[in-house]
Amino acid sequence: TNHGALGLAEWLRIAYGPRGVRVPCLCPQAVESGFTQEVGAGSAEGDAMLTPADVAEAVVQGMRQETFLLLSHPQTAQYLSSKVQDLDRWLGGMQKLHARHGG
């Protein structure tokens, strides 16, 4: 669903951006919530979790700058860069990450 939402947001930006429609797309990683409470503080996910206020601040700043991808976690920009540079390597890394988390 995330991939589909991103694709739709890209299309909306391409199709309606010239008409003045602004379309941002929020791509956060883990955000502190009741859903993420079970993740331990010492785990990789726990270390990367942001508060809802942190994510909201990233959204506000991104919207002010009219940025399309609102990346609240600094690591996400690196993941995107890695994906573009070497898609096969990125896919392999994502498969390993997915397997570590019960995928």
Side-chain angles (χ1 to χ4, degrees), residues 48-95:
M49 274 198 207
L50 294 181
T51 66
D54 292 333
V55 175
E57 181 60 29
V59 169
V60 169
Q61 287 185 20
M63 291 182 75
R64 282 187 183 137
Q65 297 170 4
E66 297 188 24
T67 302
F68 174 68
L69 281 177
L70 306 178
L71 306 174
S72 56
H73 292 71
Q75 309 91 308
T76 310
Q78 180 58 45
Y79 297 154
L80 182 60
S81 177
S82 296
K83 180 178 180 179
V84 172
Q85 290 175 5
D86 189 342
L87 182 58
D88 290 322
R89 183 175 181 200
W90 178 83
L91 286 168
M94 290 296 108
Q95 287 172 341

Side-chain angles (χ1 to χ4, degrees), residues 23-63:
V23 181
C25 189
L26 175 61
C27 298
Q29 284 184 265
V31 179
E32 290 178 3
S33 69
F35 185 73
T36 59
Q37 278 182 326
E38 294 182 19
V39 176
S43 69
E45 295 91 344
D47 294 341
M49 274 198 207
L50 294 181
T51 66
D54 292 333
V55 175
E57 181 60 29
V59 169
V60 169
Q61 287 185 20
M63 291 182 75

